Amino acid sequence: MRFITAECPHCGKVLQLPDDAEQVVCMYCAKPIDVPAILKKQAGSEQEEELFVYWMGEAKRLMDDELVAFCADMRQFTAEKYPPAFEAYTVRLAPVINTYCKAAENGSMVCAAEEFSEFLMGKYLEHFQKEGVKKNDSKFFDYRYTVVAFLIPGMLESRHKAAYELADHFLAHWNKEYPKNPLGRADFESINRGFKKKLCFITTAVCESLGKGDDCAELNAFRAFRDHWLLVQPEGERKIREYYLFAPMIVERIERNPEREAIYRSIWREDLEPCLKALEKNQMEDCAQRYESMVGRLEQRFLPC
């Protein structure tokens, strides 16, 4: 006979139970305890723990350096090129996520998400350091695009609850590491819809909230600024594509906020109206700086989970 440590299933107190007994009485609550049932449960827990460790190790092995090093070119973020590029990436990522989900099924989903997201963030930071990627580099913006348009929606393609948990935990790690360059969660469908739905963009959403039509003078002025000035500036095309990627996420989160009308009015008063006045004075640089500052501030406020 040996004794096992276990909790009473009735009162939760810790007991020492003889492993050869059929039934004992809890010394705290005086209720009967089925000892074989306790032993079976513990054996199952040990097996689940072994499976968790195995599948987690496999998922980490599959998330190799080549997959972490993948960096999408933000200049390819178009309605025609994004879907096939995403599909090709998902084929490579799917074995990792499916294996990770097997680990989560054999343990705590939250613990699995925290362990793998911490591992994954560490892989990215290690790669950035090795390649000399800095926060202000155009390469960093491409990696940021890769994470939000490929990695996160690639995780969500599995439709598994553990994958959603993983996405949220990874984004929490990213946003803690890069608070001025935060990311939000979006799936492939919502990103792809952004190419077609004009109301995804911040300026359009604000103008609509103020009762201005899609063909109003304000929107036409901003579109002319985008197409005829910003687009031909150094890094202008990349900035426009970045706005197209993150603006739908920002607007989606504002739309869910009960104070959305007040938020839109504030954006108009503090950002867009001064931008418009700068355009009227032909102060293009001033408009560009104000608009970029606005987007950065809204990203930090609304993108983090």
Side-chain angles (χ1 to χ4, degrees):
M1 179 184 69
R2 65 185 182 88
F3 287 88
I4 61 169
T5 301
E7 291 182 357
C8 172
H10 308 292
C11 67
K13 297 291 186 180
V14 178
L15 303 168
Q16 296 294 317
L17 306 178
D19 66 350
D20 61 349
E22 288 295 322
Q23 190 178 81
V24 297
V25 175
C26 176
M27 61 184 292
Y28 296 102
C29 67
K31 291 183 178 180
I33 299 173
D34 185 339
V35 177
I38 295 289
L39 291 170
K40 184 177 180 180
K41 183 178 180 181
Q42 286 192 347
S45 297
E46 290 175 1
Q47 184 179 24
E48 284 186 349
E49 184 175 351
E50 290 177 0
L51 289 172
F52 175 86
V53 171
Y54 171 77
W55 289 119
M56 182 62 72
E58 283 296 289
K60 291 178 179 179
R61 181 184 64 81
L62 290 170
M63 193 71 200
D64 56 26
D65 294 341
E66 182 179 350
L67 196 50
V68 172
F70 169 74
C71 183
D73 187 346
M74 201 165 193
R75 292 171 297 182
Q76 304 298 312
F77 185 55
T78 66
E80 296 76 23
K81 295 180 179 179
Y82 172 59
F86 176 76
E87 183 179 359
Y89 175 83
T90 304
V91 169
R92 297 172 59 193
L93 183 67
V96 179
I97 303 305
N98 292 339
T99 304
Y100 155 79
C101 288
K102 289 181 180 179
E105 290 168 356
N106 285 280
S108 164
M109 197 174 295
V110 173
C111 291
E114 181 57 27
E115 179 175 337
F116 195 74
S117 63
E118 186 175 358
F119 159 79
L120 186 55
M121 189 70 221
K123 293 278 285 186
Y124 272 102
L125 293 176
E126 181 182 343
H127 178 70
F128 291 168
Q129 183 176 16
K130 179 181 177 181
E131 297 298 320
V133 178
K134 306 296 183 183
K135 286 186 287 187
N136 294 326
D137 295 344
S138 60
K139 196 71 171 178
F140 177 75
F141 284 100
D142 283 338
Y143 272 111
R144 193 167 175 242
Y145 159 56
T146 301
V147 169
V148 79
F150 287 84
L151 177 64
I152 298 301
M155 292 177 179
L156 304 183
E157 281 294 288
S158 74
R159 303 294 191 267
H160 197 294
K161 289 175 64 176
Y164 284 86
E165 193 76 33
L166 174 61
D168 288 343
H169 276 71
F170 178 80
L171 288 170
H173 281 293
W174 179 282
N175 294 338
K176 182 178 179 181
E177 185 71 28
Y178 301 112
K180 293 185 178 180
N181 303 103
L183 299 176
R185 191 181 80 183
D187 58 22
F188 168 76
E189 287 77 12
S190 63
I191 293 174
N192 204 37
R193 282 197 304 269
F195 292 110
K196 304 172 184 177
K197 294 180 64 176
K198 292 182 179 180
L199 291 182
C200 285
F201 303 116
I202 300 168
T203 309
T204 307
V206 171
C207 287
E208 185 191 51
S209 74
L210 298 175
K212 300 178 185 293
D214 186 60
D215 198 37
C216 66
E218 292 85 352
L219 281 175
N220 285 333
F222 281 115
R223 288 165 182 158
F225 163 72
R226 176 196 63 195
D227 296 338
H228 302 303
W229 189 85
L230 183 58
L231 187 60
V232 298
Q233 301 304 306
E235 295 293 303
E237 184 178 0
R238 181 191 58 76
K239 289 181 179 181
I240 290 171
R241 296 194 188 284
E242 182 184 357
Y243 299 156
Y244 283 5
L245 177 61
F246 293 111
M249 301 180 200
I250 293 171
V251 172
E252 180 187 2
R253 284 154 179 76
I254 294 176
E255 285 294 319
R256 295 202 303 259
N257 193 307
E259 301 296 323
R260 60 184 176 276
E261 294 300 324
I263 294 170
Y264 284 138
R265 286 196 299 271
S266 175
I267 294 172
W268 172 258
R269 184 177 61 255
E270 297 176 13
D271 301 296
L272 295 181
E273 191 172 32
C275 280
L276 193 61
K277 290 180 179 179
L279 289 180
E280 291 170 351
K281 297 177 182 179
N282 204 35
Q283 297 173 346
M284 303 301 186
E285 289 282 359
D286 183 42
C287 177
Q289 291 174 5
R290 287 179 181 274
Y291 202 93
E292 189 167 2
S293 176
M294 174 196 73
V295 173
R297 190 180 69 254
L298 294 177
E299 286 177 357
Q300 291 177 45
R301 180 178 177 185
F302 293 106
L303 287 187
C305 297

